[in-house]
Amino acid sequence: MQEAQRQNFKDYKSLNDFFTRQLSPLARPIEDSIITSPADGRVLYLGPVPNGRVEAVKGISYSIERFLGEVPIPREGYSLQQITIYLSPSDCHRFHSPTNWNIRKRVHFPGDLLSVAPPLTHVIEGLFNYNERVALSGTWINGFFSFIAIGAFNVGSICFYFDSELSTNCKKDSKLRERKFKHFSDPLLVPKGEEIGLFKFGSCIVLIFEMPQSFKFLVAPGDKVRIGQSLVK
C-alpha cells in the first residue's frame, strides 16, 4: 500500500478496485534500457523462438501462428526472442509499454480462463493457446515487436486504454473462438514506460520481438521483475 497512489483502504470502492490500484508515479522508475519490464511479476521463460515454437516454460511450447496470429520472419543477423512474465494475485495488475514502438495491429483471441500459475503450465500442453488473450503487434527500432496479454482463472477482463472497441470476457465469443482483428490505420506511437492497460486480476504477459543476435538478457527464469526494470542490454 505504501507504493499505491491511494494509500487509504477506505478510498477503494470494491475488491476489484483495490486489485487494480494505481501505483504512485515515483514507485517504479523507468531504467535506461531499450526493453524494460512491462509489469511486476516473475520470469517464467526467456530465450529464442526457434522453428515457430513459443515456450511457456522450459519444455512446454506452442505454435507461434496459433498463439500470435502471424509468423514474423526475422531479418538476417537478427532473431526472434521472447520473455514470459507471470503476474501473481499479489502483483500490481497494471501494465506498461516495455519499449518505444508503433502498434499496428490488435488480435483478440476469445477462449478459456484456465489458471496460468507456473505448476499448471507443465500439466496442460499449449495452455496459453486455449486461454483468452489479446495480441498487439507492430515495429520498434529492431524490427518486429509484439505484446501479448493472456487471461487466466477469473481474469477474462483485459483492458487497453487506447482501444475502446476491445471487449473481453464474453461467454458468447469464448464459445465461438473467432479471432477479432483490428488494424490501426495510423500506427499508435507508444513511449517506453507509459501505462497502457490492466488486468482485473493476475495473469501473464509475453513479449516476442526481433533482436540483433549479439544482445543479452539481464534477467533469468525465476527472477522477480518490476515495472521499468531493464530486461536486455
Side-chain angles (χ1 to χ4, degrees):
M1 287 300 294
Q2 294 177 348
E3 297 179 324
Q5 198 168 53
R6 293 175 288 167
Q7 298 185 6
N8 189 334
F9 282 100
K10 296 180 180 179
D11 292 337
Y12 295 92
K13 299 177 182 179
S14 64
L15 184 61
N16 188 57
D17 187 28
F18 172 73
F19 272 121
T20 59
R21 62 193 179 276
Q22 190 168 20
L23 294 173
S24 164
L26 301 179
R28 297 290 186 274
I30 307 301
E31 296 182 359
D32 184 17
S33 173
I34 57 173
I35 300 181
T36 58
S37 179
D40 289 358
R42 186 177 299 279
V43 177
L44 291 186
Y45 178 82
L46 54 78
V49 182
N51 303 318
R53 304 291 295 181
V54 177
E55 293 211 26
V57 292
K58 192 64 177 177
I60 306 296
S61 65
Y62 35 86
S63 161
I64 190 172
E65 194 283 329
R66 184 179 175 191
F67 175 67
L68 187 58
E70 60 182 300
V71 182
I73 307 298
R75 297 162 294 162
E76 184 176 354
Y78 288 71
S79 62
L80 275 186
Q81 299 288 330
Q82 76 160 99
I83 183 167
T84 301
I85 298 173
Y86 167 69
L87 288 70
S88 73
S90 63
D91 289 317
C92 175
H93 297 79
R94 294 174 181 250
F95 42 78
H96 296 238
S97 174
T99 191
N100 299 312
W101 64 307
N102 300 310
I103 301 173
R104 300 177 181 273
K105 181 175 67 175
R106 179 261 286 164
V107 187
H108 173 208
F109 300 81
D112 298 318
L113 295 176
L114 303 172
S115 171
V116 294
L120 204 61
T121 59
H122 289 279
V123 177
I124 303 177
E125 184 173 359
L127 182 151
F128 288 175
N129 278 340
Y130 297 115
N131 272 21
E132 181 159 19
R133 60 196 180 279
V134 178
L136 305 176
S137 61
T139 57
W140 73 313
I141 190 172
N142 287 308
F144 177 82
F145 196 94
S146 63
F147 181 113
I148 304 94
I150 305 173
F153 186 61
N154 288 334
V155 196
S157 296
I158 303 168
C159 169
F160 285 98
Y161 303 143
F162 52 79
D163 192 353
S164 60
E165 297 177 8
L166 176 64
S167 178
T168 62
N169 199 17
C170 177
K171 292 183 179 179
K172 179 180 178 181
D173 288 343
S174 297
K175 291 180 179 179
L176 294 175
R177 295 180 181 273
E178 294 181 356
R179 300 176 183 180
K180 297 183 178 181
F181 294 84
K182 178 177 180 178
H183 293 269
F184 296 96
S185 55
D186 295 318
L188 300 176
L189 305 178
V190 186
K192 183 181 69 174
E194 179 176 297
E195 185 179 317
I196 58 175
L198 56 83
F199 291 115
K200 294 296 178 69
F201 209 54
S203 193
C204 269
I205 291 174
V206 178
L207 304 179
I208 299 176
F209 49 92
E210 193 172 354
M211 199 70 168
Q213 294 178 352
S214 58
F215 93 104
K216 293 182 179 180
F217 281 109
L218 296 175
V219 293
D223 286 355
K224 285 284 291 181
V225 292
R226 290 158 61 95
I227 295 166
Q229 179 180 336
S230 298
L231 296 181
V232 303
K233 67 174 181 178

